[in-house]
Amino acid sequence: MSIKLGDTAPDFTADSSSGEIKFYDFLGDSWGILFSHPADFTPVCTTELGFTSKLKSEFEKRDTKVIALSVDNVEDHKKWISDINETQNTDVQFPIIADQDKKVSELYDFIHPNASATATVRSLLIIDPEKKVRLIITYPASTGRNFDEVLRVLDSLRLVDNYKVTTPANWKNGDEVIVPPTISTEDAKELYPKGVREVKPYLRFTPQPNI
């Protein structure tokens, strides 16, 4: 199965370091991040899981639940979490799915045969409260994920959903946002009371509406 943007994220039940996980129940009405790892006790992934753990309060502020996946078993996950906590000076509290039979990996297209016939690629999905896939990023095994970018995209998606705007290149929280081309300048001036800055008829900016 190939997962694409806009698809409904498949539901599943699986064992994890925190017990049995029913994915939709775990997410509830929150945003979700599901990210896969090739194996336990790998150095790049150890730093990633540690950094993710340190961002716990940032994800909570964004009403976002985080869950990881690796093809190793629950006992290995628990031993790995101990290593992560020790080496990264943190306390991992989010679950790591045990996907030994690769059912979840195959469901989410985490197995890329040209990269590895057995190990999962390092993909990350952002899933919205309607269970729609809103972001897919796949990294090579050698390069750690940029979680500042993950938070940036999460902020952008939440802003786009709550206000009729889009975000420009390198946007970060607090910057100007773009008025979508589907909204006329006349309507934009009513929709965005902070003002509209027109560069071209199709390129118009307004201050971030929720600040």
Side-chain angles (χ1 to χ4, degrees):
M1 181 176 181
S2 178
I3 301 292
K4 297 181 177 64
L5 292 181
D7 286 353
T8 299
D11 195 13
F12 60 82
T13 300
D15 288 332
S16 82
S17 57
S18 301
E20 185 179 80
I21 292 287
K22 295 182 178 179
F23 190 47
Y24 278 14
D25 289 348
F26 169 77
L27 292 177
D29 295 325
S30 300
W31 289 74
I33 292 177
L34 169 64
F35 58 116
S36 59
H37 297 273
D40 292 3
F41 306 105
T42 49
V44 174
C45 297
T46 297
T47 64
E48 290 183 330
L49 289 172
F51 195 78
T52 302
S53 176
K54 291 176 181 179
L55 291 174
K56 181 175 183 289
S57 63
E58 294 297 323
F59 289 120
E60 286 176 346
K61 282 194 298 189
R62 293 163 174 84
D63 188 28
T64 300
K65 295 182 178 176
V66 175
I67 186 166
L69 174 147
S70 172
V71 295
D72 292 312
N73 62 47
V74 168
E75 290 309 309
D76 280 345
H77 285 358
K78 290 179 178 178
K79 292 174 185 175
W80 188 26
I81 287 171
S82 179
D83 278 5
I84 295 165
N85 290 341
E86 176 191 347
T87 63
Q88 307 304 304
N89 191 28
T90 190
D91 178 18
V92 173
Q93 296 182 15
F94 56 84
I96 305 176
I97 297 163
D99 193 34
Q100 285 182 286
D101 58 11
K102 301 181 181 65
K103 285 185 178 178
V104 180
S105 298
E106 290 171 358
L107 193 62
Y108 276 83
D109 197 30
F110 289 158
I111 303 289
H112 292 191
N114 288 334
S116 170
T118 56
T120 57
V121 293
R122 296 174 52 254
S123 287
L124 181 148
L125 282 70
I126 292 180
I127 299 165
D128 71 19
E130 302 302 318
K131 309 299 183 290
K132 298 296 183 183
V133 176
R134 301 291 294 277
L135 174 77
I136 304 170
I137 309 178
T138 300
Y139 287 80
S142 57
T143 305
R145 295 175 174 99
N146 183 336
F147 281 91
D148 290 337
E149 170 65 1
V150 174
L151 290 174
R152 189 188 78 90
V153 176
L154 188 55
D155 284 340
S156 173
L157 290 170
R158 288 166 56 83
L159 188 67
V160 166
D161 282 4
N162 290 325
Y163 303 90
K164 295 177 179 177
V165 296
T166 57
T167 56
N170 293 330
W171 174 87
K172 56 185 181 296
N173 199 34
D175 289 350
E176 281 188 318
V177 294
I178 291 175
V179 177
T182 53
I183 298 173
S184 70
T185 299
E186 185 178 329
D187 289 342
K189 289 175 179 176
E190 293 186 11
L191 273 173
Y192 311 113
K194 293 182 179 181
V196 175
R197 181 172 68 87
E198 184 175 306
V199 179
K200 294 284 186 181
Y202 65 88
L203 182 59
R204 298 155 302 161
F205 295 87
T206 187
Q208 185 170 319
N210 64 338
I211 289 181

